[in-house]
Amino acid sequence: MEEGGEEGKKGRRKWRSGCSRPMGVKPQQPATLVKLCHSTSYPALLPLPLHLPLPPPLLLHLPSKPLVHYGTGARRSTSHAQDGRVATLLPLPHAVNVKSVSKECQRKPMPINPEAMLVAPRPDSGGTEGLQVSLLANHFLVKFDSKQRIFHYDVDITPRPSKELSRMIKRKLVQENSDALSGALPVFDGRRNLYSPVEFQDDRLEFFISLPIPITRSSPPNGGVYNMFETLKIKTKLFRVNIRLASKITGEDLDKYLREEKDGIPLPQDYLHALDVVLRESSSESCISVGRALYSSSMGGAKDIGGGAVGMRGFFQSLRPTKQGLSLNVDFSLMAFHESIGVIPYLQKRCDFLRDLSQRKTRGLTREEKKEVEKALKNIRVFVNHRETNQRYRVYCLTEEVTENLKFRDRDGKDLMLVDYFKDQYSLDIQYKNLPCLQISRNKPCYLPMELCMVCEGQKFLGKLSDEQTVKILKMGCQKPAERKDIINGVMGAKIGPLSGPYAGEFKLNVSREMTKLCGRVLQPPKLKLGDGGNVRDITPNRYDRQWNLLDSHVAEGSKIKRWALISFGGNMEQRSCIPRFINQLSTRCEQLGIVLNKNTVISPLFEQIQVLNNVSVLEDKLRKIHEVTSNNLQLLICVMEKKHRGYADLKRIAETGIGVMSQCCLYSNISRLSSQFLSNLALKINAKLGGCNVALYNTLPRQIPRLFMDDEPVIFMGADVTHPHPLDDFSPSVAAVVGSMNWPAANKYISRMRSQTHRQEIIEELEEMVVELLEEFYLAVHQLPKIIIFFRDGVSETQFSKVLKEELQAIRRACLRFPAYKPSITFAVVQKRHHTRLFLNDKNGSSSNHFSDENIPPGTVVDTVITHPREFDFYLCSHWGVKGTSRPTHYHVLWDENRFKSDEIQKLIHNLCYTFARCTKPVSLVPPAYYAHLAAYRGRLYLDRTDSMSCSRTTLSRTSPLRTAPLPKLRDNVKRLMFYC
């Protein structure tokens, strides 16, 4: 039942008081006989609904147990005890110290039953504000027969094959055993799950399938050392395939989930997985499958992007439950793959120091070079080119000895030199004798000379793309909306698309070939507050891209920077001669913007070689000397660099955690051709870092949403994000960051707290401590604790919703209980940018009476119907103007809402906040708290990336004990209360 009007409000209050809804939910049905294979390739589309009863507020000086009031209690100044007496919520002392809070106030909150949690329901039928606009979404309606039974079979293949071989076995099995399979065309996920539209003859079947594949002996002859070169032969290998009926499923539960409005109905993941496999079956036979995307050379071929990588086009597909029913989300996709060339030319492209390897065949590798080569080749699959074979090998490491010195034992127990073996057996002279060989086994000495190996095609590039590679691959994927729309429509009719085979028809699936038509709304831009010589000036960004300029305006609040210095790293004489002009024009531009930047540095500009950035101790010594010369009172250090350098990370860490000075870096390439735009952008960043305010909302949030916000009841906006190490890094910690607004009602100055945590752990481990610290800082700034906490969580997939809600919302609650009698109302929303929903303007019906471009959707476009969740509170908002390619709207999903936001209210709030981002004069695509959290987490990652640190060898890591998490260095006091990460 939808909640609206007074009846809806009463119902919500009654629900939150815990009086009308049972605390638990019905237990799930017994598991099927065979465990489904839920891997990362097939994540759950949506979590089970959740409900979290809130812990009671802490009431001081009351012996009786308090009566819990959910949702509304946080907005009142009193809380009612069980005997009817009133206990006033006591303010914190001015100097907040959590450690001094009494043990009573630090007691653990009442236990929460994880099974009794519900995600926030949609509060209404959707928003109404804004100009309507006709749109198309890349969702294709899927109609299914809910009565159609799907027979799920568990498949066990021995010996266990690779995923590619598994599909070959399945195809041959179906071709040769049609009668036993009742003439069915089953689909297979390549693991253990086989789905059929008809029942097989027997519930248990056994087949023997033979495939011609290369094999090796499992043990060496005569007890000698295993030698892959002598034992490899092409043989027909026999596989035993056992098929057992696991379950019979229908679409009735999914139909009920999509149609019924009541909460608590779980999403039938087993049936969705079956349909997903059906729609992927035909494409998987001819495309490279990576996660939910499929890539094919038929979509434009592989294009070289340099560095041993190629970019390949493909498409993404995923089934999603929406308001209109089940829909297939299809989008254009792009990915970098390893180039399928010889290992030697691959290394020449990948490693700059090996560019001349063809001319210097006798050269070897230094210790550091060997580490780089091993890093580049680790886990890459290769095949040999000196003989006919289909065998594939995965590179484990490099040999300790060079090829010239390697030997192995033959069948007669005689030691043979590797180079002699290839000379005698294949008449091959190994050219690169001073290079190590590829070791392709963890335990056995299996050696492959590099020059005889080729990189297998179809392997996702796991290395970090360089700036040049990133530019090239982004250019490949930068299609205008009309072009992207045509590609997606082409996929739906292509021979490799989801509808290309007979499987959809076999399972009675009818997928529309037309994009979903829907009506969106375009929210109006807010009026902004700027400065004008001490006066307030307002401006409304009415340009098509909603950008504004500061040509005749000041920033809302300018900082005063009297003591600053400049240091240069690298640069030729001509570039260095530009420094005086740069200082003069920057200070002039700052003055025009209402920012005070002294025209003279406290010391003369210093000029250092770029190599200083390679030596951490020398760099730190020079920065400390600058700080000491300025009496340890330096406000800003501008660092000009010849080029982007990895020493940037050390510079930031030293400045912010060692010395305690704000820094701003820029490149000579920008200051050599000074532009007004560059100077303005630099000035905005400096002002934000030094405590200024660039722009504010003219009408404060209490004036915009008076039903929820009040001037004297402060609100804090928090954002959180976790950044993980590089895909090839299997030991470095992840970094979590939480930011919080520190001014009300402007809410545009944010400070951060960062922590390192367990490697690739997405749940924020020390969230409680970080929230406590932010609440302390908020109290010191505003002299009140916030009555409302609005928390934006970035980087969470739908499969993690339930875990994040259960653990992180609990952590925020525990943090609040660390303060006496403090219980704010909390709204917890997840922010998603990594999704594949795209929106296009629909002009075919002649309704293009709007004044927007015929390309990207306009800034402020919001969609909360048709393609959104059937019941939960989510919406898509495109708050920015897409300059290149196709705009990607941000998906906001409200998981918990004690403030009872209406759709219009939260959409308007987020949209308007996007205009307050400090670094630019246009709305951004992500709500600022989440954006700032992302920047802060990235800064924390830089603190761990030290240029002088010894790289930890992965081969020496012990997996029997948990890895220690290296803590982040602590920020200096004069830095941690500023937006240093901006």
Side-chain angles (χ1 to χ4, degrees):
M1 187 180 93
E2 292 180 358
E3 296 178 356
E6 286 302 314
E7 288 300 316
K9 293 180 183 177
K10 290 176 184 177
R12 285 192 294 270
R13 293 192 190 105
K14 192 174 182 183
W15 167 48
R16 287 187 173 89
S17 68
C19 301
S20 64
R21 186 181 294 272
M23 296 298 290
V25 295
K26 293 180 181 179
Q28 296 181 8
Q29 296 297 321
T32 56
L33 293 175
V34 180
K35 185 178 181 182
L36 292 177
C37 181
H38 293 297
S39 71
T40 53
S41 296
Y42 297 93
L45 293 176
L46 290 169
L48 294 178
L50 306 168
H51 169 61
L52 178 60
L54 306 177
L58 287 173
L59 302 181
L60 300 186
H61 314 302
L62 279 178
S64 57
K65 186 177 179 180
L67 177 66
V68 183
H69 287 267
Y70 297 118
T72 57
R75 299 302 313 276
R76 300 173 183 174
S77 60
T78 59
S79 191
H80 297 272
Q82 201 169 27
D83 59 0
R85 291 180 294 172
V86 175
T88 304
L89 295 180
L90 300 179
L92 282 171
H94 185 71
V96 180
N97 186 350
V98 171
K99 295 180 180 179
S100 65
V101 178
S102 66
K103 291 183 179 179
E104 179 186 1
C105 298
Q106 292 190 27
R107 68 178 183 266
K108 297 177 72 173
M110 71 178 188
I112 301 300
N113 179 11
E115 298 296 328
M117 301 169 66
L118 279 178
V119 172
R122 192 176 300 278
D124 46 41
S125 58
T128 59
E129 288 192 13
L131 178 67
Q132 291 193 351
V133 57
S134 181
L135 301 171
L136 294 173
N138 58 337
H139 286 235
F140 299 85
L141 185 62
V142 179
K143 293 183 179 179
F144 58 95
D145 183 356
S146 61
K147 304 293 184 182
Q148 164 76 24
R149 287 201 298 176
I150 295 179
F151 299 88
H152 172 208
Y153 290 89
D154 175 71
V155 180
D156 182 29
I157 305 176
T158 53
R160 181 171 295 179
S162 65
K163 196 172 181 180
E164 291 79 7
L165 277 179
S166 294
R167 293 193 178 280
M168 294 171 61
I169 293 169
K170 177 259 178 182
R171 285 198 293 270
K172 191 170 184 182
L173 186 150
V174 173
Q175 291 170 1
E176 297 177 351
N177 301 277
S178 178
D179 292 341
L181 301 181
S182 303
L185 284 178
V187 296
F188 184 48
D189 68 355
R191 295 176 178 84
R192 294 186 66 97
N193 300 295
L194 186 81
Y195 299 96
S196 171
V198 298
E199 192 169 6
F200 298 158
Q201 286 187 357
D202 296 301
D203 290 350
R204 291 179 179 269
L205 296 169
E206 185 176 67
F207 304 94
F208 291 89
I209 304 297
S210 60
L211 287 180
I213 61 172
I215 62 171
T216 58
R217 294 180 184 176
S218 59
S219 59
N222 303 325
V225 177
Y226 174 86
N227 173 20
M228 55 161 293
F229 306 112
E230 293 185 339
T231 60
L232 183 72
K233 291 183 179 180
I234 303 295
K235 290 186 177 181
T236 298
K237 190 167 185 177
L238 194 65
F239 293 91
R240 184 174 68 179
V241 184
N242 285 308
I243 298 178
R244 180 170 59 90
L245 180 65
S247 63
K248 302 175 184 179
I249 54 180
T250 67
E252 292 179 350
D253 288 341
L254 179 59
D255 187 62
K256 188 182 298 183
Y257 181 90
L258 294 170
R259 293 181 182 277
E260 295 193 13
E261 296 183 357
K262 62 182 181 180
D263 297 323
I265 302 174
L267 182 66
Q269 297 288 356
D270 53 351
Y271 185 74
L272 266 182
H273 181 258
L275 297 189
D276 183 71
V277 176
V278 170
L279 293 176
R280 295 173 63 87
E281 180 73 7
S282 182
S283 303
S284 299
E285 293 176 353
S286 57
C287 297
I288 301 169
S289 178
V290 181
R292 289 186 173 274
L294 299 118
Y295 299 89
S296 172
S297 58
S298 64
M299 292 187 66
K303 294 191 176 181
D304 187 3
I305 61 172
V310 295
M312 189 176 291
R313 294 183 172 94
F315 62 95
F316 167 94
Q317 69 175 66
S318 173
L319 286 169
R320 299 187 63 83
T322 65
K323 276 190 170 185
Q324 69 169 342
L326 188 64
S327 74
L328 181 66
N329 179 205
V330 178
D331 189 25
F332 171 78
S333 186
L334 189 67
M335 183 164 286
F337 290 85
H338 293 287
E339 188 176 3
S340 183
I341 54 177
V343 167
I344 293 294
Y346 174 81
L347 289 175
Q348 289 180 278
K349 290 187 173 186
R350 186 82 185 269
C351 305
D352 289 337
F353 54 84
L354 293 178
R355 298 276 171 143
D356 61 346
L357 187 59
S358 300
Q359 290 76 40
R360 299 175 57 197
K361 295 182 179 180
T362 59
R363 71 157 289 178
L365 298 177
T366 66
R367 183 178 177 183
E368 291 301 318
E369 288 175 342
K370 185 178 178 182
K371 284 183 179 179
E372 288 296 316
V373 170
E374 191 169 61
K375 182 179 177 182
L377 294 176
K378 177 84 171 179
N379 290 325
I380 287 182
R381 286 183 291 125
V382 298
F383 65 93
V384 293
N385 58 13
H386 64 281
R387 52 184 169 75
E388 291 293 329
T389 177
N390 290 324
Q391 185 75 12
R392 300 294 183 261
Y393 312 98
R394 189 177 296 276
V395 178
Y396 175 66
C397 63
L398 300 182
T399 58
E400 292 295 329
E401 294 285 345
V402 297
T403 304
E404 189 176 39
N405 299 332
L406 284 172
K407 56 186 176 181
F408 65 94
R409 187 163 295 174
D410 66 5
R411 296 180 179 180
D412 300 324
K414 181 182 177 181
D415 286 340
L416 288 179
M417 300 301 295
L418 193 69
V419 292
D420 294 337
Y421 168 81
F422 280 99
K423 178 68 174 176
D424 298 338
Q425 191 76 14
Y426 298 102
S427 301
L428 290 173
D429 286 319
I430 301 300
Q431 301 293 310
Y432 299 91
K433 296 184 176 66
N434 291 324
L435 293 180
C437 279
L438 305 182
Q439 167 71 6
I440 59 168
S441 172
R442 182 186 297 268
N443 301 315
K444 301 174 183 177
C446 307
Y447 312 135
L448 290 178
M450 291 186 187
E451 62 198 88
L452 302 182
C453 296
M454 299 280 292
V455 177
C456 298
E457 66 177 349
Q459 298 182 77
K460 178 183 176 182
F461 190 86
L462 294 178
K464 185 177 182 181
L465 295 178
S466 66
D467 292 342
E468 293 79 11
Q469 288 174 315
T470 302
V471 168
K472 289 179 180 179
I473 202 165
L474 287 178
K475 191 174 182 180
M476 284 182 64
C478 191
Q479 288 87 17
K480 289 186 176 182
E483 184 182 353
R484 193 182 195 99
K485 184 170 63 174
D486 290 342
I487 292 175
I488 295 170
N489 286 326
V491 166
M492 294 302 293
K495 293 181 179 180
I496 60 169
L499 306 181
S500 54
Y503 301 102
E506 288 287 315
F507 287 81
K508 296 184 180 179
L509 292 180
N510 184 7
V511 185
S512 172
R513 292 178 181 266
E514 293 186 358
M515 287 190 178
T516 297
K517 297 179 181 179
L518 53 90
C519 188
R521 295 172 289 111
V522 181
L523 303 180
Q524 292 302 302
K527 185 186 291 188
L528 304 177
K529 180 169 69 175
L530 300 172
D532 184 12
N535 301 318
V536 174
R537 183 184 175 192
D538 65 273
I539 183 174
T540 302
N542 283 322
R543 223 172 77 159
Y544 69 95
D545 58 0
R546 298 298 186 254
Q547 192 165 350
W548 65 95
N549 62 61
L550 295 169
L551 293 178
D552 302 316
S553 305
H554 288 177
V555 294
E557 178 187 339
S559 56
K560 296 181 179 180
I561 309 160
K562 296 183 178 180
R563 301 178 63 82
W564 68 286
L566 184 144
I567 185 171
S568 160
F569 297 99
N572 54 41
M573 292 302 296
E574 181 181 356
Q575 289 174 323
R576 292 182 177 188
S577 65
C578 298
I579 293 295
R581 181 169 64 93
F582 166 64
I583 293 175
N584 179 63
Q585 293 197 19
L586 178 61
S587 59
T588 300
R589 186 68 188 119
C590 284
E591 182 181 359
Q592 293 169 350
L593 294 174
I595 305 167
V596 177
L597 179 68
N598 198 331
K599 290 186 178 292
N600 299 311
T601 56
V602 291
I603 58 173
S604 299
L606 301 177
F607 297 93
E608 302 290 347
Q609 296 298 317
I610 191 73
Q611 289 76 15
V612 170
L613 293 172
N614 294 323
N615 193 314
V616 177
S617 58
V618 173
L619 176 62
E620 183 168 3
D621 182 61
K622 292 190 178 294
L623 296 183
R624 286 193 180 278
K625 284 183 178 179
I626 295 174
H627 198 46
E628 290 169 1
V629 169
T630 58
S631 304
N632 295 327
N633 194 26
L634 192 66
Q635 293 175 271
L636 173 67
L637 178 64
I638 293 183
C639 307
V640 185
M641 297 183 181
E642 174 186 322
K643 60 182 179 180
K644 291 183 179 180
H645 195 283
R646 61 181 300 188
Y648 170 86
D650 291 305
L651 191 150
K652 289 294 183 182
R653 177 181 51 78
I654 294 167
E656 292 158 4
T657 68
I659 299 174
V661 63
M662 207 62 63
S663 60
Q664 177 60 56
C665 297
C666 54
L667 298 175
Y668 268 115
S669 57
N670 289 322
I671 72 168
S672 297
R673 52 177 193 275
L674 286 175
S675 67
S676 176
Q677 187 64 51
F678 168 72
L679 290 171
S680 296
N681 292 341
L682 200 63
L684 292 178
K685 292 186 69 173
I686 291 172
N687 189 50
K689 289 181 179 181
L690 272 296
C693 166
N694 293 332
V695 66
L697 297 174
Y698 187 82
N699 295 313
T700 61
L701 295 176
R703 293 176 61 185
Q704 294 187 35
I705 312 177
R707 189 182 73 86
L708 292 176
F709 298 146
M710 302 178 188
D711 286 316
D712 58 349
E713 292 191 358
V715 178
I716 187 171
F717 295 96
M718 290 186 177
D721 193 15
V722 179
T723 178
H724 301 293
H726 188 269
L728 292 179
D729 184 338
D730 59 4
F731 60 87
S732 294
S734 296
V735 176
V738 183
V739 302
S741 59
M742 291 291 120
N743 57 338
W744 177 256
N748 56 4
K749 293 183 181 180
Y750 290 78
I751 67 171
S752 73
R753 291 295 181 266
M754 303 173 293
R755 297 286 195 280
S756 60
Q757 62 182 41
T758 304
H759 175 75
R760 302 207 183 282
Q761 170 65 261
E762 182 58 45
I763 300 299
I764 302 176
E765 295 175 341
E766 296 186 46
L767 180 59
E768 179 182 341
E769 292 298 326
M770 289 190 277
V771 171
V772 166
E773 292 178 20
L774 291 173
L775 290 176
E776 286 183 291
E777 294 290 349
F778 187 92
Y779 182 86
L780 292 175
V782 183
H783 308 301
Q784 289 186 67
L785 285 171
K787 295 293 189 296
I788 294 175
I789 296 176
I790 299 178
F791 196 92
F792 294 100
R793 179 64 160 90
D794 195 9
V796 176
S797 65
E798 290 166 338
T799 58
Q800 299 168 313
F801 279 5
S802 59
K803 191 173 183 180
V804 165
L805 187 60
K806 181 178 71 174
E807 298 187 26
E808 295 190 359
L809 181 61
Q810 278 282 62
I812 298 171
R813 276 289 176 208
R814 289 196 300 270
C816 295
L817 288 178
R818 300 268 289 271
F819 298 89
Y822 177 55
K823 182 185 168 295
S825 53
I826 299 173
T827 295
F828 191 108
V830 167
V831 183
Q832 294 175 308
K833 284 289 288 183
R834 294 185 179 182
H835 62 82
H836 287 270
T837 293
R838 298 294 184 272
L839 301 172
F840 307 94
L841 290 171
N842 181 21
D843 297 331
K844 291 184 178 180
N845 55 9
S847 61
S848 56
S849 57
N850 55 63
H851 303 291
F852 308 127
S853 164
D854 60 353
E855 296 185 347
N856 267 316
I857 55 176
T861 299
V862 64
V863 170
D864 56 7
T865 60
V866 185
I867 60 170
T868 52
H869 193 276
R871 289 180 305 278
E872 294 174 7
F873 193 2
D874 71 322
F875 57 91
Y876 294 92
L877 172 62
C878 183
S879 50
H880 70 296
W881 169 252
V883 179
K884 292 183 179 180
T886 305
S887 296
R888 189 204 308 252
T890 302
H891 188 208
Y892 296 91
H893 203 126
V894 182
L895 299 187
W896 189 259
D897 184 24
E898 297 167 13
N899 295 296
R900 305 196 306 258
F901 275 102
K902 295 177 182 177
S903 293
D904 277 326
E905 290 171 338
I906 196 164
Q907 291 164 11
K908 181 180 180 181
L909 170 66
I910 292 174
H911 177 244
N912 289 356
L913 286 176
C914 289
Y915 283 77
T916 65
F917 189 67
R919 299 207 305 191
C920 55
T921 56
K922 59 184 178 182
V924 289
S925 62
L926 196 64
V927 66
Y931 205 141
Y932 292 138
H934 174 76
L935 295 176
Y938 176 72
R939 180 58 55 85
R941 168 68 51 206
L942 288 183
Y943 293 166
L944 297 175
D945 294 341
R946 298 189 55 172
T947 57
D948 67 339
S949 60
M950 295 297 292
S951 59
C952 182
S953 174
R954 285 175 233 173
T955 58
T956 61
L957 288 175
S958 172
R959 288 301 179 200
T960 57
S961 58
L963 296 173
R964 283 188 174 183
T965 300
L968 293 179
K970 292 186 177 180
L971 294 166
R972 304 287 291 189
D973 288 342
N974 60 332
V975 170
K976 67 181 183 181
R977 291 188 176 92
L978 294 171
M979 296 175 68
F980 63 92
Y981 52 84
C982 187

